Amino acid sequence: MKLSRYEQESILNYNAGEQTATLYTRDKAVMRKLDTLVADFPDTYKLTGQDEVSKTYSFPKSYVSYRKPRAVSTEQRERARQMMIAKNRAKEV
């Protein structure tokens, strides 16, 4: 079944009284990432339910993180760009 971009939602749910978080998703990219984590770390990440368009996972809520936006200066961006140009040229040789 093909879902619109709007319908490809992910819902993260946890509360202060429990140690686990639950993630419901209809986004294929999120499913692929979490399926890999379930396969690699079965004691930590668990697939708890699925149907034809969605999957539900559980994992420790301590694994949920919030980050501040990365601030990259113009000089850092230019340096990274030049490094990638050099790497790509080295691959061509």
Side-chain angles (χ1 to χ4, degrees):
M1 179 177 196
K2 180 103 169 132
L3 299 174
S4 70
R5 300 285 291 162
Y6 182 79
E7 293 172 317
Q8 294 176 30
E9 64 185 0
S10 294
I11 300 169
L12 179 64
N13 190 5
Y14 61 91
N15 61 56
E18 297 177 351
Q19 296 303 311
T20 58
T22 302
L23 181 78
Y24 167 85
T25 187
R26 295 174 124 192
D27 185 335
K28 297 267 189 218
V30 174
M31 286 183 212
R32 280 191 302 273
K33 288 177 186 176
L34 282 164
D35 285 342
T36 300
L37 290 170
V38 167
D40 293 346
F41 306 100
D43 295 335
T44 305
Y45 291 90
K46 301 202 180 331
L47 176 65
T48 59
Q50 74 181 59
D51 59 30
E52 59 276 351
V53 294
S54 68
K55 290 185 179 181
T56 304
Y57 303 88
S58 68
F59 51 90
K61 73 177 182 184
S62 62
Y63 285 42
V64 177
S65 69
Y66 305 95
R67 302 178 207 167
K68 19 181 212 183
R70 184 175 163 203
V72 180
S73 70
T74 307
E75 294 82 23
Q76 289 172 318
R77 182 166 293 148
E78 182 59 27
R79 211 171 327 130
R81 189 175 83 77
Q82 292 301 327
M83 283 186 352
M84 289 309 296
I85 289 171
K87 282 186 180 215
N88 287 333
R89 284 189 184 141
K91 284 182 184 178
E92 292 173 357
V93 175

